[in-house]
């Protein structure tokens, strides 16, 4: 395994793990899916390094497998992807549900903190819109699932007003 890949994984593994636990209901399945997703990434690692944003390519590779897995075992947070674009849902899940800071979320997605803030603002506007009843119900369910996580897991509370 390339040394730079190992270093990259050490930097991002916690964020990836926190993300996958939000979108895949079963903890064991989440762990296996993440392991396979990292296997996918190592196979394309040299391509990821060749681009200007390694983290962006890595996120795309990682989430491709994770999103396939959510079709059969998704947690409430995975339903957000039915209501908002994937980039917006990614930012919300990472920052508000998984508890990453704006900077950590941006680093994980391979973008700038201002872009993440814009995505979160867009989500808040959608959530506040009058016809967003289904989205608000989905969001409440995701937040409730976070609040009722098992006592043995250390998950940070979402940083929002909903």
């Amino acid at each position: 395994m390339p040394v730079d890949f190992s270093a990259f994984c050490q930097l991002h593994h916690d964020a990836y793990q926190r993300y996958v636990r939000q979108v895949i209901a079963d903890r064991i399945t989440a762990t296996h899916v993440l392991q396979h997703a990292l296997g996918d990434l190592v196979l394309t690692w040299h391509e990821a390094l060749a681009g200007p944003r390694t983290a962006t390519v890595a996120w795309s590779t990682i989430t491709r497998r994770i999103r396939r897995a959510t079709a059969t075992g998704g947690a409430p947070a995975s339903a957000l992807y039915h209501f908002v674009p994937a980039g917006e849902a990614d930012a919300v899940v990472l920052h508000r549900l998984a508890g990453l800071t704006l900077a950590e979320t941006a680093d994980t997605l391979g973008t700038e903190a201002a872009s993440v803030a814009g995505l979160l603002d867009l989500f808040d506007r959608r959530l506040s819109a009058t016809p967003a009843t289904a989205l608000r119900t989905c969001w409440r369910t995701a937040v409730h699932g976070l609040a009722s996580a098992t006592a043995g897991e250390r998950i940070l509370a979402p940083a929002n007003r909903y």
Side-chain angles (χ1 to χ4, degrees):
M1 192 168 316
V3 173
D4 47 5
F5 176 77
S6 295
F8 182 87
C9 286
Q10 285 180 335
L11 286 173
H12 294 277
H13 190 268
D14 181 58
Y16 293 160
Q17 189 171 47
R18 290 166 78 174
Y19 171 81
V20 76
R21 286 188 180 158
Q22 292 299 321
V23 296
I24 296 179
D26 180 70
R27 187 179 178 134
I28 294 170
T29 302
T31 300
H32 288 294
V33 169
L34 181 56
Q35 288 172 348
H36 289 289
L38 290 170
D40 294 344
L41 180 57
V42 77
L43 293 175
T44 60
W45 183 242
H46 292 294
E47 294 170 32
L49 284 178
R53 294 273 194 175
T54 302
T56 304
V57 174
W59 181 252
S60 177
T61 302
I62 295 287
T63 58
R64 189 174 306 118
R65 183 174 290 267
I66 292 170
R67 290 197 182 116
R68 282 193 308 247
T70 61
T72 58
S78 67
L80 289 172
Y81 291 87
H82 297 291
F83 296 101
V84 299
E88 191 175 320
D90 288 345
V92 168
V93 170
L94 286 167
H95 181 64
R96 301 232 172 112
L97 297 177
L100 273 63
T101 66
L102 274 178
E104 291 168 332
T105 300
D107 185 50
T108 301
L109 296 174
T111 190
E112 303 299 321
S115 296
V116 172
L119 291 169
L120 295 170
D121 183 56
L122 182 58
F123 179 77
D124 289 343
R125 284 186 275 140
R126 284 185 206 276
L127 204 56
S128 298
T130 302
T133 304
L135 174 59
R136 280 193 296 275
T137 300
C138 174
W139 178 241
R140 283 187 204 109
T141 303
V143 170
H144 176 72
L146 176 68
S148 63
T150 59
E153 285 188 53
R154 182 182 174 266
I155 298 178
L156 301 174
N160 66 57
R161 62 184 185 270
Y162 299 104

